[in-house]
Amino acid sequence: MAKILVVDDSPTQLTNLVKMVESQGHQAITASNGMQGIEQARSEQPDLILMDVVMPELNGFQATRKIAKDAELSRIPVILVTTKDQETDKVWGERQGAAGYIVKPPKERELAAMIARVLGGA
C-alpha cells in the first residue's frame, strides 16, 4: 500500500480520485491547490502525487516543477491528472518533471496501471 497525495481544486474531482486510489488499496491524502500540495508533500512524504494542472495560485505545472527541483521532494513522482488534453501539454508536463500524464476524467483501470508503473509495480 502506497501513500498517495491527491491535489485538485475541484471537490468532486478530489473525491473521485480519492475513491479510485483507495479502491486500489492505497492511502489517500489530499490538498486543494498547488501550494497546499507542496506543503503536504513536505510534511507527509507521500510515495506518489496525483496533481491537477488548472488550479488557482500555483498551477500543477508550477507545483510539479517546484517538487522536481526540491532536494527534499524530488524523489516523489508526480502524475498529472488534467483536462488539458493537447500533446503539447503532455510534453510540457514531462519537461516540468512529471512521471506520467492522464487526461480527465481518468478511467480507473488506466489510473491503476499508471500508479503501478510509476511505483514500480507496488
Side-chain angles (χ1 to χ4, degrees), residues 48-53 60-69 74 76-82 89-102 114 117-118:
L48 174 68
I49 300 171
L50 299 179
M51 178 83 70
D52 183 23
V53 170
F61 290 141
Q62 294 165 321
T64 298
R65 185 171 50 243
K66 284 183 179 290
I67 289 165
K69 291 181 184 260
S74 62
I76 305 169
V78 176
I79 297 173
L80 294 169
V81 184
T82 178
D89 295 319
K90 182 178 179 184
V91 169
W92 183 247
E94 289 168 354
R95 284 189 179 164
Q96 305 316 302
Y101 196 97
I102 294 179
M114 177 76 69
R117 180 183 67 76
V118 170

Side-chain angles (χ1 to χ4, degrees), residues 15-109:
T15 300
N16 290 342
L17 286 167
V18 165
K19 282 181 186 169
M20 286 188 206
V21 164
E22 290 177 342
S23 75
Q24 295 167 34
H26 301 297
Q27 175 190 356
I29 51 177
T30 63
S32 58
N33 64 51
M35 286 303 294
Q36 273 187 11
I38 291 170
E39 291 165 14
Q40 283 283 71
R42 202 174 302 287
S43 64
E44 295 284 341
Q45 293 292 307
D47 300 300
L48 174 68
I49 300 171
L50 299 179
M51 178 83 70
D52 183 23
V53 170
V54 182
M55 295 183 287
E57 292 180 54
L58 191 69
N59 71 42
F61 290 141
Q62 294 165 321
T64 298
R65 185 171 50 243
K66 284 183 179 290
I67 289 165
K69 291 181 184 260
D70 187 304
E72 186 184 338
L73 303 176
S74 62
R75 64 151 193 85
I76 305 169
V78 176
I79 297 173
L80 294 169
V81 184
T82 178
T83 55
K84 296 176 82 55
D85 62 355
Q86 300 299 305
E87 186 62 28
T88 53
D89 295 319
K90 182 178 179 184
V91 169
W92 183 247
E94 289 168 354
R95 284 189 179 164
Q96 305 316 302
Y101 196 97
I102 294 179
V103 176
K104 285 180 183 175
K107 293 176 181 64
E108 191 158 356
R109 193 177 312 155

